[in-house]
Amino acid sequence: MKHFTKLAALALMITPSIAHAEKLSLQEVSRYLNQLKSAKGAFTQINPDSTLSKGDFMIKRPGRMRFEYANPNPALVVASTGQIAVFDKKSTAGPQGFPIGQTPLGLILKKNVNLATSGMVLSHTEVGPTTKIMAQDPKHPKYGNIELVFTANPTELRQWVVTDQSGKKTTVVLGKLDRNARLSEDLFDIEQIAIDLGQKRGNDR
C-alpha cells in the first residue's frame, strides 16, 4: 500500500516545476491523439488490488497497442484487428480475447478521435499542470470510462485510469514516449505471437 500511495502522489505531480498551465481544449487533445501514430515507452500500472506492475508500452494507431510486462508478471497484452488478447507467457492454452470496442481503450485507438462528440466527455478539468478528461462511449456507457491525463507545452499523454464495467479501476502512468519509434507489425500480430509462444490460436481451441 505504501508503494501505491507514493506512486499516486507522483502521478499527481507529473511536472512539479510547472505550477499552472492553461487547460487543453478538447480539439487540441483530439488533434494530439490523431497525430500519435507510433510511440513507445515505459509504464507503471496500478492494478485494482493496489499492486504494481511495470513494463514497456507500445502504440500504433489506429487500433494497435501492446503492453509487455516485466518479470515476474507473465502477462502480455496486445490490441489489434479489433480484439484485445491477454497472453500468459507461461501457459500453452492461448490468449483470452475480447473486442476492443467493449473497453474504454477503444476510444483512443479509433482512427478518428473526436472528443467533442455529444455525450462522450463526462468531465474536462484542469488540475495544477494537468488537463484531465473523462470519456465514455456515448452509445455504450455500460462499457465503463477512461480518464486521460495530459500536460501541455507540448501536449503529452501522461497517464490514464480505466474504470471497467464492474467499477474496477486500473491506472497506467506513462514514462516519456518515443514518438519516433519504428514498430514492426509483427509486434501486434496476435496469431503469430501465439505461435511464437507455442500456444493454441483461437481457431485451434
Side-chain angles (χ1 to χ4, degrees):
M1 188 64 183
K2 182 172 71 174
H3 295 297
F4 167 74
T5 303
K6 183 182 293 186
L7 183 60
L10 288 172
L12 291 174
M13 298 185 293
I14 293 170
T15 50
S17 62
I18 304 175
H20 179 79
E22 184 177 353
K23 182 170 72 173
L24 296 170
S25 69
L26 297 180
Q27 291 75 15
E28 165 60 18
V29 172
S30 298
R31 180 204 64 79
Y32 167 83
L33 290 172
N34 287 325
Q35 291 186 354
L36 185 63
K37 299 302 183 183
S38 180
K40 67 180 296 185
F43 76 92
T44 300
Q45 179 173 302
I46 306 172
N47 302 307
D49 62 359
S50 299
T51 59
L52 300 183
S53 302
K54 295 186 177 184
D56 293 316
F57 162 76
M58 304 171 199
I59 185 170
K60 195 168 186 177
R61 297 188 64 260
R64 287 156 291 181
M65 189 177 285
R66 179 178 172 119
F67 293 88
E68 296 181 352
Y69 289 83
N71 290 330
N73 190 331
L76 170 65
V77 178
V78 179
S80 183
T81 61
Q83 297 289 315
I84 292 181
V86 182
F87 293 90
D88 179 346
K89 291 181 288 187
K90 294 183 178 180
S91 172
T92 60
Q96 295 181 333
F98 45 91
I100 292 175
Q102 293 184 10
T103 76
L105 280 176
L107 295 175
I108 63 174
L109 291 176
K110 293 171 60 175
K111 183 176 182 179
N112 294 303
V113 177
N114 181 9
L115 292 172
T117 301
S118 178
M120 179 176 289
V121 172
L122 302 175
S123 64
H124 179 201
T125 58
E126 178 186 359
V127 181
T130 68
T131 296
K132 294 186 175 184
I133 298 171
M134 183 177 291
Q136 66 178 11
D137 182 341
K139 295 181 179 179
H140 303 284
K142 64 181 181 180
Y143 292 161
N145 61 66
I146 184 168
E147 181 183 68
L148 303 166
V149 181
F150 297 86
T151 50
N153 302 317
T155 302
E156 191 75 56
L157 176 62
R158 305 309 296 265
Q159 75 176 59
W160 65 69
V161 182
V162 169
T163 303
D164 67 16
Q165 300 180 33
S166 64
K168 293 181 179 179
K169 295 181 181 293
T170 301
T171 300
V172 172
V173 181
L174 299 175
K176 183 174 178 57
L177 291 177
D178 176 6
R179 297 184 63 178
N180 296 315
R182 295 184 178 182
L183 303 176
S184 168
E185 293 292 338
D186 293 343
L187 292 168
F188 309 96
D189 188 330
I190 292 172
E191 286 205 4
Q192 187 59 50
I193 293 168
I195 293 171
D196 293 343
L197 292 174
Q199 298 184 355
K200 295 179 180 179
R201 294 173 295 176
N203 56 6
D204 291 339
R205 295 183 186 181

